[in-house]
Amino acid sequence: MKKWQWKEYNLSILLPENETPQLTIIVQDGSYLFEYFEQHPLKHIAFVGVDPIDRNREYTPWYAKVDDYAYEGEADTYLTMVKDELLPFLHKEFHLSIEPKHVGIAGASFGALVSLYSLLTRPEDFDYYFLLSASLWYPDFLSFLQKQPAITDEKHIFWYVGEKEGDEYPNILREMVPNTIEATKALEEKLVHPHATFQFITDAEGIHRHPYFEKYFHGFVLEVEDRFEANITSHA
């Protein structure tokens, strides 16, 4: 895994065995979700982990105050940076394709929230989305999602939530799982492209912790890797 200082961000870059990956996944919160694949290398998928400067600012879609804590809501600025600056850098330095069909975005918690927000507001940027326990308790996000138009491009979405997430909180965070259920129903209806795919998985014992995020991210990624391998084999 390559460690790279790019502007004010620390990047972790894991390239596959093949020189030209079928997919590059931009992963929020650094490399912890994909460190497993350093010891279990893939053939077709590259990962770029981006350490946030301030995830409560960069990964939230708009200003909101929950109890006494304020979230600054600068996701639009962050996603513009990823699209207009980071992806061209990766193309130039590592020869990674920046065509949407070859790029995905992923994250857990707020990292999943900003990934989902990118789908809703700028669907032309990525074709693959890996959403681990997206923070669907965020104020007004569910209604925002429900009001969005149909998504006409071909998208491939993988979404996980643990059924016990939010149980320990007395505030708005308790709405995480019921809001997620409603959001997945609404989103699946919006995917109108005939080749779009949507997979939603829950875990009856799942809580909001890294081991669950990693487990389901690994499963989703291996499923996509198998698809690429099967497609290549069928055309050999």
Side-chain angles (χ1 to χ4, degrees), residues 173-214:
L173 275 70
R174 292 186 63 85
E175 301 301 315
M176 168 113 170
V177 175
N179 282 4
T180 297
I181 300 300
E182 292 303 311
T184 56
K185 292 177 182 176
L187 182 59
E188 188 168 18
E189 291 178 356
K190 295 180 188 299
L191 299 174
V192 297
H193 192 283
H195 300 301
T197 60
F198 181 86
Q199 185 176 156
F200 176 54
I201 295 177
T202 68
D203 186 316
E205 301 301 318
I207 58 176
H208 202 74
R209 296 293 184 271
H210 281 199
Y212 288 97
F213 305 158
E214 293 168 30

Side-chain angles (χ1 to χ4, degrees), residues 52-63:
I53 298 168
D54 180 354
R55 67 195 307 277
N56 291 337
R57 169 173 58 82
E58 295 168 290
Y59 295 171
T60 51
W62 45 75
Y63 178 86

Side-chain angles (χ1 to χ4, degrees), residues 5 32 42 47-48 66 77 81 90 95 99 106 112 115 127-128 133 135 160 167 170 178-179 196-197 207 211 216:
Q5 179 72 39
Y32 80 91
L42 302 176
F47 302 92
V48 178
V66 177
T77 300
M81 177 277 295
L90 296 171
H95 310 293
E99 293 183 42
S115 301
D127 278 4
Y128 286 80
S133 300
S135 299
Y160 159 79
D167 284 359
N179 282 4
T197 60
I207 58 176
Y216 287 95

Side-chain angles (χ1 to χ4, degrees), residues 5 14 22-23 25 51 64 72 82 87 119 122 148 160 168 173 175 187 195 236:
Q5 179 72 39
L14 183 60
Q22 297 291 309
L23 179 66
I25 306 175
D51 286 331
E72 295 171 22
V82 171
L87 289 180
L119 170 64
R122 41 201 304 157
Q148 299 309 302
Y160 159 79
E168 69 269 34
L173 275 70
E175 301 301 315
L187 182 59
H195 300 301

Side-chain angles (χ1 to χ4, degrees), residues 10-31:
N10 293 317
L11 305 180
S12 301
I13 300 167
L14 183 60
L15 301 176
E17 293 180 342
N18 290 353
E19 292 183 2
T20 55
Q22 297 291 309
L23 179 66
T24 297
I25 306 175
I26 307 300
V27 183
Q28 317 322 304
D29 285 314
S31 62

